[in-house]
Amino acid sequence: MPAGENVRGAMTAPYLESFAERGGPAERVPLVRTPFVIGRSATVDHTVYSSKVSKEHAVIDRLGDRYLVTDLVSTNGTFVNGRRTVEAFLRDGDIIQIAHKEFCFRQPDSPVSAAGMPSLVEQTQLFPSDCLDSVMRGTQLLREMIEEEAVETLYQPIVDLATQEVVGYEALSRGRHPRLSESPTVLLRLAEQCDMVADVSGLFRRLALRSTSALRPQTKVFLNVHAREISSQSFLDGLAGLHRDVSADHPVVFEIAEGCMADLPLMATIKRAVADCGFELAYDDFGIGQSRLLELTDVPPDYLKLDIALTQGMQSDQPRRDMVSAVLRVVAALGTRVIAEGIECAEVAETCREIGCHLGQGYYFGRPA
């Protein structure tokens, strides 16, 4: 029987929990004796194989019924909950970081979540911004958000500029986990660092489709796809499953960031896969980066969304109007419909209509609701 476990397999001593180097379940290291030394050397109690870890990097000692972690004058320091420390008493749920490796300090009677990872105590740092103190802590909170479906979906209308009729809605997600940011940008940035982009982005899309029955009939739903998902086979594999959740009354359009257009073979594969499932494709934020008309003509989308930076101020900026007009001429023969984003007044809406934009989106037509 492993040290630190009783006959039923439960930990009887405090332990350190960490993610395996190559994924998989968390690993537990019982603190069956103290002092407990962590370092690069093969002679310490727990070895971390990294050139950034000192031979004897940190030690955990017991003082009465409390545990103290002390940095052993290491080169790169020891961190507790994101802060470099010389020594600190440990509380249940604290995160010890040594180089790239993170350990969650757990007491033997600490609660464990249904997912098999420890629940986090109230005094741990929240994530109101994209400042990440711990991948382990961020991963646990994102898992909680996904399990509890703590996300709200808002919809912003997309209208026909000629008729003013609503033809679709962009689904916009907002976090509702009490200890995470509401901002989808911040949540996805955290998901990037925790290698959970597909999980979080997939949750956003599933919940968006679940609420489409409240939308105006015969309108399309525009769903965002994160740039990191595009190169993942899991996104293509998930298209068929997602198809089962799509209402016939609300066809789906996937929005892909303009920056992904540089990989033409990949975009061609994505377009074929999307079309085979009965979906459509939109290039989002066109005009803010390395926008090139050649890529646009080689793999033309069903929709092209002009970035707000092009749309705003267009009514008084002739060069900007000329540039948008040039794009419109290129896509005219491709069957691509152009959506002008960021329209906030009647004057801009009329200018976009006059130069040939088909659709419009922005506060002038409606806020996300």
Side-chain angles (χ1 to χ4, degrees):
M1 180 170 59
E5 294 190 16
N6 60 22
V7 291
R8 294 184 178 181
M11 288 289 178
T12 59
Y15 57 90
L16 302 177
E17 190 158 28
S18 64
F19 288 129
E21 290 290 334
R22 298 183 180 275
E27 299 175 330
R28 292 185 175 182
V29 180
L31 302 177
V32 293
R33 61 176 176 273
T34 56
F36 186 91
V37 180
I38 303 172
R40 191 178 74 246
S41 171
T43 61
V44 299
D45 297 290
H46 187 73
T47 304
V48 178
Y49 298 99
S50 171
S51 59
K52 295 182 179 180
V53 176
S54 299
K55 290 184 177 180
E56 294 188 351
H57 196 106
V59 60
I60 298 176
D61 216 337
R62 181 172 181 173
L63 299 179
D65 59 354
R66 304 180 70 186
Y67 285 80
L68 180 77
V69 61
T70 303
D71 182 72
L72 297 176
V73 198
S74 65
T75 302
N76 294 306
T78 300
F79 296 78
V80 176
N81 296 332
R83 295 184 177 182
R84 187 164 184 165
T85 184
V86 175
E87 63 179 18
F89 280 106
L90 296 172
R91 297 173 295 188
D92 183 49
D94 279 349
I95 304 295
I96 304 168
Q97 183 178 357
I98 295 175
H100 69 284
K101 193 71 173 179
E102 292 182 339
F103 303 93
C104 184
F105 175 76
R106 305 304 299 180
Q107 295 285 10
D109 57 350
S110 62
V112 177
S113 69
M117 287 294 293
S119 301
L120 299 176
V121 293
E122 290 301 318
Q123 62 263 33
T124 55
Q125 180 174 332
L126 310 185
F127 290 93
S129 68
D130 59 349
C131 179
L132 179 64
D133 77 322
S134 164
V135 171
M136 177 176 283
R137 196 185 311 282
T139 299
Q140 172 64 9
L141 292 176
L142 289 175
R143 284 179 175 176
E144 289 178 4
M145 182 186 77
I146 293 170
E147 182 178 351
E148 298 166 8
E149 296 187 342
V151 171
E152 176 186 27
T153 305
L154 307 179
Y155 298 91
Q156 186 172 34
I158 298 172
V159 306
D160 187 306
L161 289 175
T163 66
Q164 302 290 297
E165 289 293 321
V166 175
V167 297
Y169 298 87
E170 180 179 357
L172 302 168
S173 301
R174 296 289 183 272
R176 286 294 179 260
H177 190 287
R179 302 175 64 204
L180 288 169
S181 171
E182 292 185 1
S183 166
T185 301
V186 173
L187 291 173
L188 287 169
R189 191 170 295 142
L190 176 60
E192 288 178 24
Q193 298 177 72
C194 298
D195 196 22
M196 293 183 64
V197 167
D199 303 286
V200 172
S201 192
L203 173 68
F204 288 171
R205 289 193 291 271
R206 289 196 306 274
L207 296 184
L209 291 176
R210 188 181 300 173
S211 306
T212 57
S213 59
L215 302 179
R216 182 175 298 187
Q218 297 303 313
T219 52
K220 298 184 178 183
V221 178
F222 288 67
L223 302 177
N224 287 285
V225 181
H226 192 279
R228 287 198 180 184
E229 292 182 277
I230 296 303
S231 58
S232 170
Q233 184 63 37
S234 61
F235 172 71
L236 296 177
D237 294 340
L239 287 175
L242 192 67
H243 188 270
R244 293 190 293 268
D245 298 326
V246 175
S247 165
D249 206 26
H250 300 288
V252 163
V253 182
F254 286 108
E255 292 192 20
I256 296 177
E258 173 252 11
C260 300
M261 291 170 55
D263 191 336
L264 283 178
L266 176 60
M267 288 309 304
T269 299
I270 295 291
K271 183 177 180 180
R272 284 194 300 270
V274 166
D276 288 345
C277 289
F279 304 133
E280 291 182 296
L281 190 66
Y283 292 160
D284 193 16
D285 300 328
F286 188 84
I288 64 170
Q290 302 294 325
S291 300
R292 290 175 290 187
L293 298 182
L294 179 60
E295 283 82 354
L296 184 61
T297 55
D298 282 353
V299 188
D302 300 290
Y303 295 89
L304 182 68
K305 299 189 78 172
L306 301 179
D307 186 71
I308 187 174
L310 282 179
T311 304
Q312 290 188 337
M314 185 189 299
Q315 73 278 14
S316 58
D317 190 328
Q318 186 62 47
R320 191 173 301 184
R321 290 201 301 273
D322 292 342
M323 182 167 62
V324 173
S325 296
V327 173
L328 288 164
R329 287 194 297 272
V330 170
V331 302
L334 302 176
T336 299
R337 305 198 76 193
V338 175
I339 305 172
E341 290 190 287
I343 297 177
E344 297 185 353
C345 66
E347 189 178 5
V348 173
E350 181 60 20
T351 300
C352 291
R353 186 194 65 81
E354 288 178 350
I355 66 174
C357 293
H358 307 97
L359 309 174
Q361 180 180 352
Y363 287 173
Y364 176 66
F365 301 112
R367 293 176 177 269

